[in-house]
């Protein structure tokens, strides 16, 4: 196993750990939440996609060290979602709707 580009130090922690989110009950998913402000001076030359790419080291670590899946939750302070975040929240709404016996659409509307 090659972990040369992965952060494998003991103190590495991600924001969210969920069992069974994408698959079976034994499958673990980790997420890290990043809020991107496109109007901040430091981000004027960046995009939400570039912020997503910065999380690649976490993704490699989760796959290679934890043997789990990783879903980065990159959100714009202006309301945008990166592709992974959008897919995550749709799946979350679906699971909640199933659990609460409620239509998914009612959970997606604020």
């Amino acid at each position: 196993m090659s972990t040369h580009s992965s952060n494998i130090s003991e103190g590495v922690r991600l924001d969210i750990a969920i069992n069974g989110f994408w698959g079976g009950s034994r499958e673990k998913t980790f997420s890290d939440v990043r809020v991107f402000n496109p109007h901040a001076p430091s981000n004027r030359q960046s995009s939400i996609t570039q912020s997503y790419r910065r999380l690649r080291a976490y993704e490699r670590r989760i796959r290679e060290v934890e043997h789990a899946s990783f879903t980065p939750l990159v959100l714009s302070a202006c309301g945008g979602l990166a592709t992974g975040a959008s897919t995550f929240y749709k799946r979350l709404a679906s699971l909640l709707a199933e659990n609460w016996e409620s239509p998914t659409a009612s959970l997606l509307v604020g």
Side-chain angles (χ1 to χ4, degrees):
M1 164 185 357
S2 171
T3 58
H4 67 278
S5 63
S6 300
N7 188 344
I8 59 171
S9 61
E10 286 294 319
V12 173
R13 290 190 339 213
L14 296 165
D15 296 324
I16 302 169
I18 308 167
N19 286 322
F21 190 76
W22 294 117
S25 61
R26 295 180 189 199
E27 186 263 338
K28 193 167 216 168
T29 299
F30 291 92
S31 291
D32 195 56
V33 179
R34 298 286 169 103
V35 178
F36 171 79
N37 182 352
H39 301 297
S42 60
N43 292 330
R44 286 207 176 118
Q45 301 301 319
S46 297
S47 69
I48 198 165
T49 303
Q50 289 168 322
S51 292
Y52 172 82
R53 287 184 188 139
R54 292 182 192 131
L55 295 171
R56 299 269 174 162
Y58 284 130
E59 182 177 13
R60 281 189 289 274
R61 179 193 186 281
I62 296 303
R63 276 194 328 249
E64 296 172 0
V65 177
E66 304 290 342
H67 305 290
S69 63
F70 177 67
T71 304
L73 302 178
V74 180
L75 305 98
S76 166
C78 299
L81 299 172
T83 303
S86 179
T87 304
F88 178 90
Y89 286 112
K90 287 177 186 174
R91 173 70 175 151
L92 179 60
S94 174
L95 291 171
L96 290 174
E98 184 179 309
N99 190 44
W100 295 341
E101 298 177 3
S102 175
T104 303
S106 68
L107 296 172
L108 291 172
V109 176

